């Protein structure tokens, strides 16, 4: 099996990508320091795959440890870099930690890859780089807007680092994937999203609220100029998103250009309001959700959804799951977690 290094492979998107890589005939080699994930994810992965996969509990900013993984596991065909801090709120209070970790791990990994002659690289970026776009759907050519948080800025800076490496002709065949709103869970309900502490994102808050882990949901603003007054996002099932990484790896294997960074949006192409997302959850789970209308959340954009024309044309990838299926899987995953949140 061809080996793919997966940093952050125990995280939400990383773990689902490990499953899809393995199904496609790759062996994911996971690097994770478990700062934002749970060690039990590796057992769940082994259950889904029928075999354990290699896991290195190290920090991606540790160049020597990272080099040793490449040497021990080599040859490694490529790397997918998920490992990063991702809380918008925490990034405002701890900007230095966010820059050190998110930029440091990227730069370290790219240096180690260059030294070990590994060129294929997939980077986890975010639609947050677009801010509130002037036209919708958002294409990859849409301009970046000033970031609303240090977290968002780390994604913009990381993309710039990759572009500068390419400009300098460092042999790097890169794909930067701008995720819209990843939701759902693996249909087996063995892996899913489990944010540490109170969730900031909508869908984990919905599922945890319905499960009684949290109080009622507050809808952040219903006075936007959208069809029902609430914000519009593009919610993509995490398994669809994971499969796009496999498609990106296949595409990188065919592209012979010595150095490039190709950007792809990954969403469904459909905008869904907060109230529509709640209704989808209620329908999929057969439960009622308690929610109240609240004030707008600072930094929220009103409306953003993707043009996925480029990903479908070049990667031959398209989404298969509906929002109802995403909500069904998110709910199913939540019900496996028990009546109370795990102790921190
Ligand atoms: C947020 C981040 C974004 C990050 C993305 C990761 C902000 C401002 N943006 O995006 O940088 O890349 O998560 O997935 O935090 N909502 C509620 N009540 C809640 C939670 C959310 O009404 O308790 C609403 C939000 O106002 C928004 C929608 O639900 O309209 C989705 O929110 P969320 O899941 O946090 O995603 P984004 O805001 O798109």
């Amino acid at each position: 099996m061809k080996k793919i290094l997966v940093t952050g492979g125990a995280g939400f998107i990383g773990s689902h990508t490990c499953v899809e890589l393995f199904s496609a005939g790759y062996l994911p080699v996971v690097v994770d320091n478990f700062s934002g994930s749970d060690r039990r994810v590796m057992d769940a992965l082994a259950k889904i795959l029928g075999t354990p996969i290699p896991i290195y509990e190290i920090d991606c900013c540790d160049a020597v440890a990272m080099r040793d993984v490449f040497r021990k596991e080599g040859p490694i065909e490529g790397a997918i870099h998920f490992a990063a801090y991702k809380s918008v709120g925490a990034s405002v209070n701890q900007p230095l930690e966010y820059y050190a970790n998110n930029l440091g791990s990227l730069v370290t990994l790219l240096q180690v890859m260059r030294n070990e002659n590994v060129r294929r690289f997939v980077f986890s970026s975010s639609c947050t780089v677009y801010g509130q776009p002037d036209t919708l759907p958002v294409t990859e050519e849409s301009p970046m807007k000033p970031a609303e948080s240090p977290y968002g800025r780390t994604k913009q800076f990381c993309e710039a680092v990759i572009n500068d490496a390419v400009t300098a002709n460092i042999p790097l065949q890169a794909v930067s994937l701008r995720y819209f709103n990843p939701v759902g869970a693996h249909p087996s309900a063995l892996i899913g999203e489990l944010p540490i502490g109170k969730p900031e994102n909508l869908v984990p808050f919905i599922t945890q609220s319905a499960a009684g882990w949290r109080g009622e949901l507050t809808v952040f603003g219903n006075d936007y100029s959208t069809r029902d007054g609430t914000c519009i996002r593009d919610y993509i099932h995490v398994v669809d998103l994971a499969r796009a990484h496999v498609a990106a790896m296949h595409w990188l294997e065919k592209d012979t250009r010595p150095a490039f960074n190709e950007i792809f949006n990954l969403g469904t192409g459909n905008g869904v309001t907060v109230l529509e997302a709640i209704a989808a959850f209620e329908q999929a789970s057969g439960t009622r959700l308690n929610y109240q209308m609240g004030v707008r959340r600072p930094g929220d954009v009103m409306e953003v959804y993707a043009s996925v024309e480029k990903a479908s044309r070049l990667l031959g990838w398209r989404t298969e799951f509906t929002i109802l299926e995403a909500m069904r899987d998110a709910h199913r995953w939540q019900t496996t977690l028990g009546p109370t949140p795990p102790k921190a």
Side-chain angles (χ1 to χ4, degrees):
M1 287 173 108
K2 289 181 185 170
K3 291 183 180 175
I4 305 290
L5 189 87
V6 183
T7 75
F12 175 42
I13 308 172
S15 58
H16 289 80
T17 300
C18 285
V19 174
E20 299 305 319
L21 283 169
F22 193 85
S23 312
Y26 294 101
L27 180 63
V29 174
V30 173
V31 167
D32 206 301
N33 64 1
F34 298 108
S35 64
S37 56
D38 194 305
R39 282 173 188 77
R40 283 170 295 184
V41 170
M42 298 312 299
D43 300 329
L45 276 176
K47 214 177 218 175
I48 296 172
L49 304 178
T51 177
I53 54 174
I55 160 75
Y56 292 85
E57 186 172 345
I58 56 176
D59 193 310
C60 294
C61 297
D62 182 339
V64 173
M66 289 295 279
R67 183 204 63 195
D68 289 348
V69 176
F70 278 86
R71 299 229 170 133
K72 180 151 185 274
E73 293 287 340
I76 284 185
E77 294 287 322
I80 306 182
H81 184 46
F82 294 104
Y85 292 157
K86 62 173 186 180
S87 161
V88 173
S91 78
V92 175
N93 299 321
Q94 302 159 31
L96 302 182
E97 283 69 24
Y98 268 68
Y99 291 121
N101 188 53
N102 291 8
L103 288 163
S105 62
L106 172 75
V107 172
T108 304
L109 176 56
L110 291 180
Q111 285 177 317
V112 173
M113 286 176 62
R114 178 191 57 192
N115 297 344
E116 302 301 315
N117 292 313
V118 177
R119 296 167 176 228
R120 293 180 194 136
F121 183 66
V122 178
F123 176 65
S124 287
S125 190
S126 166
C127 72
T128 195
V129 302
Y130 296 118
Q132 177 61 66
D134 299 325
T135 53
L136 290 164
V138 190
T139 71
E140 290 79 358
E141 276 71 49
S142 300
M144 286 193 190
K145 294 283 175 63
E148 292 283 351
S149 68
Y151 160 77
R153 224 168 342 268
T154 68
K155 292 297 175 190
Q156 294 182 338
F157 287 167
C158 283
E159 287 198 17
V161 167
I162 299 167
N163 288 336
D164 286 347
V166 166
T167 304
N169 279 320
I170 290 169
L172 181 65
Q173 297 167 307
V175 159
S176 294
L177 301 177
R178 292 177 178 163
Y179 310 147
F180 281 65
N181 289 63
V183 295
H186 195 260
S188 68
L190 288 166
I191 52 172
E193 187 171 16
L194 186 52
I196 293 172
K198 187 175 158 201
E200 289 182 7
N201 295 121
L202 179 65
V203 175
F205 198 96
I206 287 177
T207 59
Q208 294 191 11
S209 170
W213 285 18
R214 311 283 161 201
E216 70 178 352
L217 172 80
T218 300
V219 175
F220 295 145
N222 64 343
D223 55 352
Y224 287 97
S225 52
T226 59
R227 49 187 175 267
D228 61 20
T230 64
C231 292
I232 292 180
R233 296 288 185 275
D234 186 339
Y235 299 96
I236 175 172
H237 196 296
V238 65
V239 171
D240 277 329
L241 191 64
R243 288 178 183 159
H245 295 73
V246 177
M249 243 337 136
H250 285 151
W251 183 76
L252 281 172
E253 284 168 3
K254 285 185 267 170
D255 200 312
T256 53
R257 288 175 290 161
F260 58 85
N261 179 27
E262 204 71 51
I263 312 279
F264 292 97
N265 286 342
L266 295 180
T268 63
N270 299 318
V272 169
T273 70
V274 176
L275 293 179
E276 288 164 353
I278 292 171
F281 173 80
E282 291 187 322
Q283 190 185 334
S285 66
T287 59
R288 299 294 296 174
L289 191 76
N290 291 323
Y291 61 92
Q292 56 170 358
M293 297 302 171
V295 296
R296 295 181 177 195
R297 179 171 65 178
D300 259 346
V301 302
M302 179 173 76
E303 183 173 14
V304 61
Y305 56 92
S307 162
V308 287
E309 186 276 327
K310 184 177 177 187
S312 105
R313 180 167 41 89
L314 293 187
L315 303 181
W317 163 90
R318 53 180 43 77
T319 54
E320 288 169 28
F321 292 94
T322 63
I323 181 131
L324 276 177
E325 289 166 320
M327 292 298 190
R328 175 203 64 195
D329 292 338
H331 175 65
R332 202 181 273 166
W333 158 247
Q334 177 70 47
T335 56
T336 68
L337 298 174
T340 51
K343 296 238 166 1

